[in-house]
Amino acid sequence: MTVKHLSVDYNKVNERGTFSPGDILSGRVTVVTSKETKVQCFLVRAKGKAKVTWHEQQGRARETYSDKKKYFYFEHIILQDKNKGDGSEIIRPGRNVYPFTFVIPNTDMPSSYEGKWGKITYTLRAQLTQSIWLVHKTKIEFPFLTKSEFPFASKSDMIIIGLKERHFATRISFYGSTKVTINVTSEKMGVKQGDAMGVSVEVLNESARSVTPKFYLCEKQTFVAQSKRIVHTNDTLFGMGDSVAADSSRTITKVLSVPPQLHPTFFNCSMMKLEYRLKVTVDVPLARDSEIKLPLVILLGSPKPHQEKPKRSIWFRKFPG
């Protein structure tokens, strides 16, 4: 093994550490060899893609649903032998650095994302081929951020109009011959990552028991492949309000903070989308429809430095047959 090290790295273009459509993606491939090394091909690739895969059990059969979309693909050849595989291209011993530059297409593409059954990734890969039996590879992901301020605008222009408006809903839950009425009002529908929003809950408790409102952040991931659709939901407890005694009423105000690491709402991918709701429930025993859901759009927050994933190199031998 004359190749001791192979890595690929990129230059940051902003303090967030992300790339967007139209940006220049430049970097370097580094290879360390113990002696003069002949290679057949040495190249670096940049790729953006979305992929969805899940499995469903139908009787004894197991069906697989999968789809993928390529946003861009570039390849830069660093070295390639010109004599049909005789290994005439040479890498000198020691540390060798090879620069590269790609221009990311200036088109609408979704941000990097990883969900339950699908992900959107943007990667750099370097591959050094010494022979048909010996291939070295390394890979790194770079974070990508859509340019669209509202990556859900194609869903409905009314969403944008309503981002700063107050939203409210009423629910009446019956318990025996008595009832509990809750009125929920959120100060706005659009909230940035890491920001807070105020929610007001008016509870009219005409039951014989005390009730306690609970606040949940509801996440909904939707994936589409081969004309099939699958949904993954996750409810996270935001917080709890004060109890409202039997035969009484009370208005409870709660300030809810959106986690800064929460991925923003998006619809600009044909195979997956991410939505949120604010859910408020009251624990009325045996009652039906004792919850209210209000629309919630998570917007991109203030720039924060990107925490890079550790780079990994893959070394393997390929044998014929």
Side-chain angles (χ1 to χ4, degrees):
M1 295 285 288
T2 58
V3 177
K4 299 299 182 183
H5 172 81
L6 177 66
S7 65
V8 59
D9 201 3
Y10 58 84
N11 302 316
K12 294 183 179 179
V13 295
N14 55 46
E15 62 172 330
R16 193 191 289 267
T18 59
F19 292 84
S20 296
D23 283 346
I24 295 176
L25 174 61
S26 63
R28 66 211 61 82
V29 180
T30 303
V31 58
V32 179
T33 62
S34 59
K35 62 181 182 179
E36 187 175 274
T37 304
K38 293 183 178 181
V39 299
Q40 289 186 359
C41 188
F42 187 18
L43 54 82
V44 58
R45 299 184 179 105
K47 183 192 293 187
K49 69 174 183 178
K51 185 176 182 180
V52 169
T53 303
W54 76 88
H55 309 282
E56 292 184 12
Q57 199 71 31
Q58 298 180 0
R60 294 184 178 182
R62 190 171 189 241
E63 293 289 338
T64 298
Y65 297 94
S66 181
D67 199 2
K68 60 184 177 181
K69 179 181 177 62
K70 187 184 296 182
Y71 293 108
F72 61 80
Y73 177 87
F74 299 112
E75 183 175 280
H76 170 64
I77 296 176
I78 299 170
L79 294 172
Q80 185 174 35
D81 95 42
K82 302 175 179 62
N83 297 311
K84 300 181 180 179
D86 66 353
S88 60
E89 289 294 339
I90 302 297
I91 295 180
R92 294 180 179 179
R95 184 174 184 268
N96 299 268
V97 180
Y98 302 92
F100 63 84
T101 299
F102 299 113
V103 179
I104 300 174
N106 195 11
T107 58
D108 182 33
M109 293 177 282
S111 300
S112 302
Y113 174 72
E114 184 167 356
K116 180 70 173 178
W117 291 293
K119 58 183 179 179
I120 302 165
T121 56
Y122 298 86
T123 58
L124 282 168
R125 299 171 185 260
Q127 178 174 312
L128 190 158
T129 303
Q130 288 184 263
S131 69
I132 192 174
W133 299 282
L134 189 56
V135 181
H136 309 278
K137 291 183 177 183
T138 186
K139 167 187 171 182
I140 185 175
E141 290 187 17
F142 60 92
F144 189 83
L145 193 64
T146 181
K147 260 188 175 179
S148 174
E149 183 181 2
F150 305 112
F152 43 80
S154 59
K155 179 72 175 177
S156 173
D157 290 339
M158 293 303 294
I159 292 180
I160 300 176
I161 296 172
L163 287 178
K164 296 182 179 181
E165 294 183 354
R166 296 170 67 88
H167 289 261
F168 58 89
T170 299
R171 178 75 70 185
I172 301 175
S173 300
F174 288 93
Y175 171 66
S177 59
T178 57
K179 65 182 180 181
V180 175
T181 305
I182 55 174
N183 296 301
V184 179
T185 304
S186 64
E187 64 176 356
K188 53 188 174 181
M189 183 173 70
V191 187
K192 290 185 178 182
Q193 297 165 306
D195 283 0
M197 62 179 293
V199 181
S200 178
V201 182
E202 181 184 356
V203 181
L204 176 59
N205 184 12
E206 298 179 80
S207 73
R209 304 188 183 197
S210 64
V211 296
T212 303
K214 296 179 181 179
F215 303 85
Y216 293 88
L217 175 66
C218 303
E219 178 183 352
K220 181 182 178 182
Q221 304 174 14
T222 304
F223 305 90
V224 179
Q226 298 167 219
S227 300
K228 292 281 289 185
R229 177 175 172 269
I230 190 170
V231 174
H232 172 70
T233 59
N234 181 46
D235 291 0
T236 303
L237 183 63
F238 241 157
M240 297 178 61
D242 298 326
S243 295
V244 180
D247 293 318
S248 68
S249 63
R250 186 173 187 175
T251 299
I252 300 161
T253 300
K254 194 79 173 176
V255 177
L256 306 175
S257 296
V258 174
Q261 71 277 12
L262 206 63
H263 196 285
T265 302
F266 73 89
F267 291 99
N268 62 340
C269 176
S270 60
M271 292 182 295
M272 64 189 87
K273 64 180 179 179
L274 179 63
E275 303 169 86
Y276 296 96
R277 296 287 187 274
L278 170 65
K279 182 172 75 173
V280 180
T281 68
V282 289
D283 52 350
V284 182
L286 304 178
R288 301 178 65 182
D289 298 327
S290 58
E291 66 181 37
I292 288 178
K293 288 185 179 180
L294 293 179
L296 180 63
V297 175
I298 305 300
L299 303 170
L300 186 67
S302 301
K304 291 181 176 58
H306 172 71
Q307 299 295 321
E308 292 185 11
K309 294 183 179 179
K311 306 175 184 65
R312 63 188 183 94
S313 294
I314 306 173
W315 308 82
F316 64 91
R317 297 174 185 266
K318 292 174 61 178
F319 295 95

